[in-house]
Amino acid sequence: MGASEIPSKEEEELLARLQAQFGDMDVGGMLGDQCNCDDDDSESSLEEPTAEELRVWQEMQYDKGRMKMEAKRIQESGSVGNSALQRRRQKKTAQQRTLMREYEETEEANEWEHLAPTPDLGRATSIFFPAVLENDADCAGAGDLELAGGVNPLLQKLVKGDPEVLGTKWSPLYSSSEGDGLSFYNLLDKIRGYDGPTVLLLGGTPSPSRCLGQVNHDDRVSLGFFTTDSWIESSDHFGSSDDCFLFSLDHKTNDVKFIRPKARSQSSPNLGTKRYMYCHPSSLSTTNRRIRGASKTDGSVHGIGIGGSASLPRMHITESLEECRALAWDSLFDDGDLLSEECSKSLYYFDVDCIEVWGVGGEEWISDALKARAKGKESQIASLEQARKVDKSQFLGDFENELTCGNKPGLFGHRGLVEERCDL
């Protein structure tokens, strides 16, 4: 029986059953659009769909409707703080990004010329990536300038580490050369609570106190760390996202060396969840000792650490910014030297003389991360103010207890003890 011969009552019952099955989808409108055809076309030579074909079609329509509803829910959700990070991690899983990096290293991928997106530093400047002029032949070759489009070649190569995040808007969070001062605690104040991806850049020289032989002041250290996790103070490692890597910059050859996290199959199965970051200032240890009453440390070093362990990080930034260290191996990242061969004479120790931290990922992500940092500072200030206030009712209660305590001498109990001794 053709569709035009179905009584209206049966049509209504069919639409009611389909509407009950597909929920919020407008089944009537969808079928109406498909059925707006001439009477001649209503009689088709095609066979009626089988039960299996009808079931498959229903499942496909249901999946489409569910995906539309989920997209609408995400769009209308008010979770501003995590929206950018959620979209980032929903787009590609860590395993998919690993497979993409492995493909990029194959011969087939090398046959194609990959142009990384150009980062936008705005009007900000960086001592690690000075602006390149088109007529400045001393900074880079003509080929590099053509590839970078006027952007510093080192910066353009660094973007290849994660083009989706690094090839966007950059915003300076901390710069020791731009008025923030070379201070560990100034650095900590700028990155603590920033809920977005960051690029940490370190510049320095081999530590003279650790050098085996004469110090060459021309040897420079330029290395850094990229992560999409936020920075917090903790005596334990944190940051479980694989979206991170260590890197070193060679200003002589305009080359960038990436040290990425080891694959899950290569790391020790006893490690559990891998956590790459460590931020343990000595002030946090003092607070913990006051709370726990501990008198000894647990062997954890103070400062900022990347990879390795709490007692021996792969890269360690000390609070004094002197005798920092960058090792060639650990259990979390791939093996490889972060320092040049000349700098290895100082036993991988170096003194930091310049630091920069950039927020990356685009304007929206940076804006959300700055709001999260400001909110965290407000909570911290409120907690300090609360701690400074004296609970007067509690104080009076303790005072009364001291006056009227039982067996123990009260606030003026020493008078009774003196009288007893005088009687004796």
Side-chain angles (χ1 to χ4, degrees):
M1 183 167 56
S4 60
E5 301 175 3
I6 300 178
S8 60
K9 184 177 181 180
E10 294 184 9
E11 289 181 0
E12 293 176 358
E13 292 178 354
L14 176 60
L15 287 175
R17 289 198 302 271
L18 290 175
Q19 190 66 54
Q21 178 178 359
F22 294 110
D24 296 333
M25 292 178 58
D26 186 8
V27 178
M30 182 175 61
L31 293 179
D33 294 339
Q34 295 178 355
C35 294
N36 288 335
C37 53
D38 297 333
D39 294 338
D40 296 339
D41 297 335
S42 62
E43 295 182 1
S44 175
S45 60
L46 297 176
E47 299 180 357
E48 292 289 335
T50 63
E52 180 64 20
E53 292 174 341
L54 182 60
R55 183 186 64 80
V56 173
W57 178 84
Q58 290 176 340
E59 290 180 354
M60 291 175 60
Q61 297 300 320
Y62 176 77
D63 290 339
K64 290 180 180 179
R66 182 176 56 80
M67 292 175 64
K68 290 181 179 179
M69 293 296 295
E70 181 67 16
K72 183 179 180 181
R73 183 189 65 81
I74 294 175
Q75 184 178 5
E76 295 178 352
S77 63
S79 56
V80 178
N82 295 328
S83 59
L85 182 59
Q86 287 176 349
R87 287 196 297 273
R88 159 74 170 171
R89 292 181 176 174
Q90 286 175 356
K91 187 173 181 180
K92 291 195 296 278
T93 63
Q95 183 179 6
Q96 288 173 329
R97 284 190 290 274
T98 302
L99 293 175
M100 291 180 63
R101 288 198 296 265
E102 291 177 354
Y103 169 76
E104 291 173 356
E105 297 175 356
T106 61
E107 295 182 359
E108 180 182 356
N110 291 332
E111 295 177 357
W112 297 86
E113 182 180 3
H114 297 277
L115 297 178
T118 302
D120 179 16
L121 273 63
R123 296 183 178 181
T125 58
S126 171
I127 59 176
F128 293 90
F129 310 113
V132 177
L133 302 178
E134 294 184 359
N135 58 353
D136 192 351
D138 296 333
C139 293
D144 288 334
L145 283 176
E146 182 179 357
L147 177 64
V151 178
N152 186 283
L154 273 177
L155 177 57
Q156 193 67 24
K157 291 182 180 180
L158 178 61
V159 169
K160 295 181 180 180
D162 196 329
E164 185 181 3
V165 177
L166 296 176
T168 58
K169 175 70 175 179
W170 286 44
S171 178
L173 301 179
Y174 171 86
S175 176
S176 60
S177 62
E178 295 292 335
D180 292 327
L182 186 62
S183 166
F184 174 83
Y185 282 94
N186 288 354
L187 166 66
L188 183 62
D189 182 65
K190 296 293 185 179
I191 64 175
R192 181 173 45 208
Y194 183 84
D195 192 14
T198 52
V199 176
L200 170 65
L201 296 163
L202 303 172
T205 57
S207 297
S209 59
R210 299 283 184 169
C211 280
L212 302 176
Q214 190 175 2
V215 178
N216 187 356
H217 296 285
D218 293 333
D219 294 336
R220 291 290 301 172
V221 175
S222 294
L223 66 163
F225 176 65
F226 162 75
T227 180
T228 57
D229 280 300
S230 57
W231 291 91
I232 61 174
E233 290 185 10
S234 175
S235 57
D236 299 320
H237 272 72
F238 58 90
S240 58
S241 172
D242 288 335
D243 293 337
C244 66
F245 55 79
L246 291 160
F247 61 89
S248 61
L249 307 175
D250 191 334
H251 294 273
K252 296 179 180 179
T253 62
N254 282 333
D255 195 17
V256 179
K257 182 177 182 179
F258 297 100
I259 305 293
R260 298 187 181 274
K262 290 183 178 179
R264 299 286 176 177
S265 58
Q266 297 178 355
S267 58
S268 173
N270 299 325
L271 290 177
T273 303
K274 296 196 294 184
R275 304 191 183 279
Y276 303 98
M277 302 160 64
Y278 176 82
C279 183
H280 186 197
S282 56
S283 58
L284 182 63
S285 299
T286 304
T287 303
N288 291 338
R289 284 197 295 269
R290 289 174 180 172
I291 296 175
R292 302 173 185 174
S295 59
K296 296 182 179 180
T297 62
D298 55 0
S300 303
V301 296
H302 294 146
I304 292 177
I306 308 299
S309 62
S311 58
L312 187 63
R314 172 72 173 269
M315 184 175 74
H316 179 211
I317 307 172
T318 63
E319 291 180 305
S320 65
L321 302 180
E322 297 179 351
E323 296 191 0
C324 303
R325 203 173 192 185
L327 300 176
W329 60 271
D330 73 315
S331 59
L332 297 176
F333 288 88
D334 292 335
D335 297 344
D337 287 325
L338 286 166
L339 305 182
S340 62
E341 183 177 354
E342 293 79 8
C343 296
S344 63
K345 297 178 181 178
S346 62
L347 303 178
Y348 302 100
Y349 286 94
F350 62 96
D351 296 342
V352 175
D353 56 23
C354 57
I355 305 176
E356 290 181 1
V357 181
W358 294 79
V360 295
E363 293 183 1
E364 181 184 358
W365 207 340
I366 293 172
S367 176
D368 294 344
L370 289 173
K371 291 178 183 178
R373 186 182 70 176
K375 186 176 180 180
K377 287 187 177 181
E378 291 177 359
S379 300
Q380 184 181 15
I381 294 174
S383 299
L384 291 175
E385 291 296 330
Q386 184 65 28
R388 289 170 181 163
K389 293 180 180 179
V390 178
D391 190 343
K392 295 182 179 179
S393 60
Q394 181 67 29
F395 176 77
L396 291 175
D398 294 340
F399 185 77
E400 292 176 356
N401 290 335
E402 288 293 334
L403 289 175
T404 60
C405 58
N407 297 328
K408 296 181 180 180
L411 186 63
F412 303 102
H414 63 284
R415 294 182 177 179
L417 296 176
V418 171
E419 293 176 355
E420 290 179 2
R421 291 179 179 176
C422 291
D423 294 338
L424 293 175

